[in-house]
Amino acid sequence: MQRVPSSLLSDFSLSRIAFGLWRLTDWNYSPRERLSLFEQMLDLGVTTFDLADIYGDYRCEQSFGEALKLKPELRARMEIVSKCSIRLAGAASGARINHYDTSAEHVRGAVETSLRDMGVEQMDLLLLHRPDPLMDADALAGVLEQLVAEGKVKYLGVSNFLPHQVDLLQSRLSQPLVANQVEVSLLHSQPLFDGQLDHCQQHRIIPMAWSPFAGGRLFSGEDTDSARVRSALQALCKTRGLNEESGTMQLALSWLLKHPSQMVPVLGSGNPQRLVAALAALEMELDREEWFELLRAGRGRDVD
């Protein structure tokens, strides 16, 4: 498995594809079955496991921890990524309405709860899940650096932050923000043009691409944009002699992987065969015209 090394930290890297666990509780696997899936991914070289405190109505990290407890030595082979700053209304959070919370108190409590639920002493990468309009950059940076100093968090990053929001937080930190997880797909190509991926390249931040298949719309969406992209992918499959079912997935990933920002797509399937098929994208290489052909399909118009 290829890896994406950080240019900012000599000892930090992510697997070229990350395993997204936001649907872990939906798969209805037993702890032993979850463990087996984790082992399969690790054996394939997919070592980056992506979580968040809110996933599965605050239950995914517990489910992850239950499985890892069965074979704790697997922890040494993983990069555990988790997120906080979103509070969903309900008994699990005690919140009355959905909102963002980057207060020092909440961030510390969320991280400590995540570590306890996962049964680990440290997460490799903590991401602030969403930018908070009430973010106090000084207070937030202070608690983040404390968590790193205490060994509870190894490295820091953000998610869904625009360039100026990254810059604000970075201006208060003594250590680099090493990743920004953003939504990118053939049906959501705005980050290629709105400065998000340019900013990642400029500051050598690793972009992690969530929803790389547009939440499944690429394969089953009935809207005009989805149908147009799917048709372009199917035509390219035919040209390349690829199986259509797996080939459309591989080409959509290959399109992301070609971008020079070194994106790390986050795949969230509980089907091992589907994940194995997706990894074949790592051996593909779209030429420039093929890449722009898919971009045209995604945007619904030619380049200017």
Side-chain angles (χ1 to χ4, degrees):
M1 168 68 70
Q2 304 166 20
R3 296 193 66 79
V4 178
S6 172
S7 298
L8 302 173
L9 296 165
S10 60
D11 60 346
F12 179 68
S13 65
L14 300 174
S15 55
R16 193 65 167 99
I17 301 289
F19 188 25
L21 298 175
W22 67 91
R23 294 186 180 130
L24 181 60
T25 55
D26 296 338
W27 300 336
N28 294 317
Y29 287 165
S30 69
R32 183 65 62 182
E33 289 170 329
R34 284 175 235 145
L35 178 67
S36 176
L37 181 61
F38 297 168
E39 288 189 286
Q40 289 179 68
M41 291 301 99
L42 289 168
D43 289 343
L44 289 167
V46 179
T47 61
T48 301
F49 286 63
D50 182 75
L51 297 123
D53 57 354
I54 63 168
Y55 288 167
D57 194 23
Y58 294 90
R59 293 180 292 115
C60 277
E61 290 180 328
Q62 294 177 17
S63 295
F64 174 81
E66 288 171 356
L68 188 58
K69 187 177 180 180
L70 298 175
K71 197 169 184 179
E73 60 268 28
L74 292 184
R75 170 67 184 96
R77 298 170 61 189
M78 299 174 170
E79 299 88 42
I80 295 177
V81 181
S82 194
K83 314 175 197 71
C84 70
S85 80
I86 299 176
R87 293 186 65 185
L88 300 179
S93 71
R96 180 170 54 85
I97 63 169
N98 294 346
H99 64 284
Y100 303 139
D101 191 344
T102 54
S103 66
E105 180 183 16
H106 175 71
V107 169
R108 173 173 288 281
V111 167
E112 291 176 348
T113 298
S114 291
L115 294 175
R116 182 176 66 248
D117 287 346
M118 292 188 289
V120 299
E121 295 182 354
Q122 182 186 64
M123 62 179 71
D124 297 285
L125 179 61
L126 171 66
L127 305 180
L128 280 304
H129 207 159
R130 291 275 180 180
D132 174 9
L134 294 178
M135 180 182 79
D136 180 330
D138 291 303
L140 177 57
V143 73
L144 292 175
E145 298 212 326
Q146 288 171 10
L147 290 167
V148 172
E150 293 165 10
K152 295 175 180 177
V153 171
K154 194 169 185 181
Y155 301 118
L156 301 170
V158 293
S159 179
N160 302 298
F161 274 49
L162 295 173
H164 65 276
Q165 295 165 331
V166 180
D167 290 343
L168 170 58
L169 182 56
Q170 183 63 79
S171 73
R172 304 302 202 272
L173 290 166
S174 63
Q175 55 198 299
L177 294 167
V178 298
N180 188 4
Q181 189 169 136
V182 297
E183 181 182 5
V184 195
S185 73
L186 278 165
L187 288 171
H188 189 80
S189 61
Q190 292 94 315
L192 280 71
F193 302 98
D194 65 9
Q196 291 186 74
L197 293 177
D198 295 332
H199 186 266
C200 285
Q201 281 203 80
Q202 179 183 359
H203 296 279
R204 303 192 184 280
I205 295 168
I206 299 173
M208 300 177 72
W210 66 268
S211 200
F213 302 135
R217 284 176 58 209
L218 283 181
F219 313 124
S220 58
E222 297 180 358
D223 59 286
T224 301
D225 291 343
S226 299
R228 184 179 59 248
V229 172
R230 189 159 55 247
S231 178
L233 288 168
Q234 290 167 346
L236 192 51
C237 280
K238 186 175 182 179
T239 299
R240 285 177 163 246
L242 299 173
N243 173 277
E244 187 175 292
E245 182 178 356
S246 58
T248 53
M249 175 174 57
Q250 293 158 358
L251 290 169
L253 277 178
S254 183
W255 186 82
L256 292 173
L257 295 169
K258 187 174 179 67
H259 194 271
S261 64
Q262 291 284 288
M263 268 185 276
V264 173
V266 182
L267 303 188
S269 174
N271 183 331
Q273 289 73 35
R274 184 174 174 81
L275 289 165
V276 170
L279 296 181
L282 295 170
E283 307 304 321
M284 289 184 173
E285 177 67 28
L286 295 176
D287 66 34
R288 184 173 286 263
E289 290 195 352
E290 289 172 329
W291 191 91
F292 274 95
E293 185 177 15
L294 293 179
L295 175 67
R296 179 179 63 185
R299 300 178 79 195
R301 61 184 176 86
D302 215 334
V303 295
D304 299 326

